[in-house]
Amino acid sequence: MARVTESEIAEVTLQIASNKDDGIATFRELKAKIPQYLPLSIHDKIKSRTRPGEEMWEQQIRNIKSHSSTEGNFIAEGYLQHVPGRGYRITQQGRERAAQR
């Protein structure tokens, strides 16, 4: 089984945020809920060498912000906004995308 992609993590982040009254999916919440949405492989669960205490898939949550200027990234495309120290807020454009899924 292949590893989940950053795009798949971002898509689930969008879904989780769309179900919140304030539109914010916190980092803690994402770590708890993403495994309920995506099947994680043994490769996803390998401990990160660059982020102690995190598995590889958890690192991808923060990579959404790290890669925010990359085409196709959910922040770059206007679906999510980074909320420093908390997580991600869904935008109106993100709500429209989530509603189509």
Side-chain angles (χ1 to χ4, degrees):
M1 178 184 254
R3 288 190 53 211
V4 296
T5 66
E6 183 178 320
S7 182
E8 290 171 315
I9 296 283
E11 193 70 57
V12 170
T13 299
L14 203 67
Q15 293 299 320
I16 292 169
S18 74
N19 290 316
K20 300 287 300 290
D21 289 340
D22 63 0
I24 298 174
T26 67
F27 295 125
R28 180 177 296 176
E29 188 171 35
L30 292 170
K31 287 180 182 183
K33 290 186 175 183
I34 287 174
Q36 297 169 19
Y37 287 80
L38 295 172
L40 301 173
S41 73
I42 59 169
H43 303 290
D44 291 314
K45 295 179 181 182
I46 293 171
K47 296 291 180 193
S48 170
R49 284 181 248 155
T50 57
R51 291 189 184 265
E54 287 189 359
E55 295 179 353
M56 294 302 290
W57 73 270
E58 293 173 305
Q59 184 174 333
Q60 289 176 299
I61 295 169
R62 293 190 191 272
N63 283 352
I64 296 168
K65 169 58 177 142
S66 297
H67 302 151
S68 63
S69 62
T70 304
E71 184 178 331
N73 173 280
F74 277 43
I75 294 174
E77 298 299 322
Y79 303 131
L80 292 170
Q81 295 173 331
H82 179 244
V83 181
R86 287 197 63 205
Y88 300 104
R89 176 182 291 116
I90 192 169
T91 65
Q92 183 56 42
Q93 188 174 343
R95 287 192 183 282
E96 291 166 11
R97 180 183 173 107
Q100 295 173 1
R101 304 282 175 210

